[in-house]
Every structure is written in structure tokens, then in C-alpha cells.
Amino acid sequence: MGYDLGRFQGDVDEELICTICGGVFQEPRQVSPCEHCFCDECIQEWVKHQQTCPVDRNPITPSSLGPAPRILRNLLARLKITCENEQFGCQAVVKLDGLDSHLSQCEYNPKRPVLCEKGCGLEVPLDELPDHNCVQELHKVINTNEKRIQGLEERIQEQDTCIGHLREEVSILKELVRSFRTSANGIGTPDETERAIQTGRWLASLKPAKVKRWGGMISTPDGVLQNIIKRALADSGCPQHLLSELMANAHERKWPPGLSTLETRQLNRRRYEQYIAKRVPGRQAIIIMASDNEHMGESMIVEPGIVMVFAHGVE
């Protein structure tokens, strides 16, 4: 709907008046190709019921509506209009393009937000302040925030699920690639493919590991300790075909050259942080899979991976 003509100072050109509502254009829109202009709200409502221009009855559609010419918008901007809060005492006369800015600060605006001084500190429309109940409004704020938090938690859960699926797919693809590379003819057999899929799914279910104290590494775990780690891996769902291979690589005698002796481990200790590792659930141990650590080179990784046991320092 347009602005009431009676609010303007001086004469208003008839070219600036909407023929639908009879008021001065508010957010004008132009119809093509006839180039007639109307208030946006007026013409939007019009085309819902009639598909012809209100002036010349030429066919129009919602897609026919476009922005009003710049010269028309400039003419509107220069018009002077009284504040709509005149009935409440405001005597201001402003240019039309400054009306919104004035209304947001007008001290006579009954909807102007003010701070409640009763204790809640909420912003309240001026005309609602006498009936404002701090306790009720704070309950509304709490309920709204709780709903937002619940919505965010649901979105996070959905995203976590999606990320989990993506991690599983990536792990499976990595294991498939590894399987094909190690296969004698470069093409994985159905059994090798199935084992790669099982391995990828299992790895995706494990949490990433962070080692804070590499000095706590036990490079020569005894049989009892190895059995404890083996049982933890089995309980986590480690595929049987992989379990024995990993546990065989839990001792320094099966580690790659860069880790096989105390001397080489000390030389390469700066590289440890580059490992991508998985946590053995419930134990101070990690798994460093070859498929995740190709960037480390052959001197720091072996197929299918390494198990490292620690006295402490694994998160």
C-alpha cells in the first residue's frame, strides 16, 4: 500500500501516485512492456487475481514486474513527508528516503524498542512496556533458546552422521587401492575386495589418536601385553584377516627401517607428529595404517600397518 497523500508537504506529481491504492508509491515496481508503475504490495496482490495491467489491460505475469526507473525513485526520495507518529506528538518532516531511519529513532514511535529497567534487561516495544512481565518474557527467551539449541544439536548430529559415512567411504577406498596395489596381478579378487571393505569400515569406526608422549613408546611389548592389545582390537571389530598381521607388526623387529632401532627412532622423532593414527579402544596403543600414511614413505611404514603400544601419553 502507498503512502497517504495527506502526509506530504506541497503538491505531489500524479506520476508518483499508484492507480491501485491512490497513495504515493511505496517500493514501486514497473510492469513491462507497458512501463506502468505501482506499489510493490499492490501489484503483487493484483496479479494473484488478474493477469492484466490495471491501466491499459495488457497481459502481465509476475515475471513482468521489475524495478522502477531510477529517475522515479529519485523523485520519490526528494518528497517531504510527516512522521507517521504525528498523532503521538512527533512534528518531524523528513525526506521520504530518510523516513525509515527517522522511524527507528523517533522518540514518539510506540514500537520503538527500549530497555526494560525492571531487572530483565530485555528490549521491549515502548507501548508494551506497561504490561511487560519480566518472568514471563525470560521464560519465552529460555524456551526459544532451548529450541534453537535442540535444533542445532540435531543438525550437528546429522552432520556427524554424514561425516561418519564419508570417513567410512574414504577408508574403504583407501583399503581398496591398497588391496589392488598389493595384489599379484594388480586386480583385487572378490575376497580381497571384501576384506578391504571390512577393513575400511572398521577403521572408520575408530577414533583418531593423539600421542602426547612419544617417549612412552614400548617398542618390545611382551607376550602378555600383546595379548591384551590383540583382545582389545578383536573386541573393537578388527577383521580376523587383519588382526594377526597388525599384531605381528607390534614389535620393533617388524617395524620399518626408520623405527627398527632406538637410534633410528631418535633420528626420526621429529616426524612422529606427521603420522595419522587410530586409537586402540580403551588401551594406550595406536594403529598406524599404511593406507593412511603413504606420505610418510617406506622407511616409516609397512603393510598393512603398525601397532604401537605406550606406557602413557595417548589420547
Side-chain angles (χ1 to χ4, degrees):
M1 296 293 289
Y3 297 102
D4 187 349
L5 266 172
R7 293 177 57 190
F8 290 86
Q9 301 289 303
D11 295 331
V12 177
D13 193 300
E14 63 178 11
E15 295 295 327
L16 302 180
I17 296 175
C18 176
T19 56
I20 297 177
C21 67
V24 176
F25 290 134
Q26 185 172 11
E27 299 180 9
R29 302 281 283 175
Q30 185 182 65
V31 176
S32 62
C34 62
E35 298 185 346
H36 292 118
C37 290
F38 310 92
C39 299
D40 179 61
E41 184 179 341
C42 294
I43 193 62
Q44 294 285 2
E45 186 63 27
W46 179 279
V47 295
K48 289 179 182 178
H49 307 285
Q50 302 186 56
Q51 301 291 304
T52 57
C53 173
V55 176
D56 57 22
R57 303 303 175 185
N58 283 324
I60 61 172
T61 63
S63 61
S64 304
L65 306 180
R70 183 187 296 263
I71 187 171
L72 185 143
R73 298 199 304 271
N74 289 342
L75 290 172
L76 285 170
R78 297 191 188 103
L79 295 178
K80 291 186 176 181
I81 186 172
T82 58
C83 176
E84 63 187 52
N85 298 316
E86 183 178 18
Q87 59 178 313
F88 301 110
C90 183
Q91 300 299 313
V93 177
V94 299
K95 287 185 177 181
L96 188 56
D97 64 349
L99 180 61
D100 288 342
S101 176
H102 166 75
L103 288 174
S104 67
Q105 303 174 30
C106 179
E107 62 179 313
Y108 296 95
N109 182 0
K111 295 298 181 183
R112 177 170 59 90
V114 295
L115 285 176
C116 172
E117 297 180 351
K118 297 177 182 178
C120 70
L122 297 175
E123 283 193 343
V124 184
L126 182 62
D127 61 346
E128 296 179 16
L129 194 58
D131 299 322
H132 173 66
N133 185 306
C134 294
V135 175
Q136 288 182 358
E137 294 304 318
L138 285 173
H139 275 303
K140 290 180 183 178
V141 171
I142 292 171
N143 290 336
T144 300
N145 287 334
E146 286 178 343
K147 289 179 181 178
R148 287 177 180 172
I149 291 171
Q150 183 178 356
L152 288 172
E153 288 176 342
E154 290 174 354
R155 288 175 59 187
I156 290 171
Q157 187 174 1
E158 291 174 359
Q159 291 175 354
D160 286 344
T161 301
C162 291
I163 291 171
H165 290 323
L166 289 173
R167 283 176 176 164
E168 180 176 308
E169 290 177 11
V170 169
S171 293
I172 290 172
L173 287 173
K174 285 181 177 180
E175 287 302 315
L176 285 171
V177 170
R178 186 189 69 82
S179 174
F180 295 160
R181 284 177 178 173
T182 57
S183 181
N185 58 6
I187 301 175
T189 65
D191 286 344
E192 289 171 335
T193 300
E194 180 59 29
R195 286 198 294 268
I197 292 172
Q198 291 176 4
T199 300
R201 287 176 175 163
W202 170 65
L203 288 172
S205 71
L206 301 179
K207 294 181 179 180
K210 184 175 182 181
V211 179
K212 286 199 168 183
R213 299 179 182 178
W214 289 95
M217 184 190 306
I218 302 173
S219 59
T220 57
D222 60 24
V224 174
L225 186 53
Q226 288 193 51
N227 283 332
I228 291 174
I229 301 302
K230 184 176 182 179
R231 192 177 304 113
L233 287 174
D235 291 343
S236 72
C238 179
Q240 192 61 41
H241 72 271
L242 185 64
L243 186 58
S244 297
E245 292 183 81
L246 286 177
M247 290 310 304
N249 295 343
H251 194 286
E252 66 175 19
R253 61 176 173 265
K254 287 293 189 76
W255 285 356
L259 299 173
S260 59
T261 66
L262 178 60
E263 182 180 1
T264 57
R265 287 196 291 276
Q266 289 176 338
L267 289 173
N268 289 312
R269 63 187 305 174
R270 293 181 180 272
R271 300 189 60 192
Y272 293 161
E273 295 297 333
Q274 299 174 35
Y275 275 129
I276 297 174
K278 301 284 189 176
R279 177 80 181 269
V280 176
R283 300 298 173 187
Q284 290 288 307
I286 63 174
I287 306 161
I288 302 173
M289 296 297 294
S291 58
D292 287 332
N293 290 276
E294 292 183 354
H295 60 284
M296 296 299 290
E298 294 181 359
S299 66
M300 298 294 289
I301 191 68
V302 293
E303 293 284 352
I306 304 167
V307 173
M308 285 187 179
V309 185
F310 293 80
H312 49 68
V314 177
E315 294 182 353

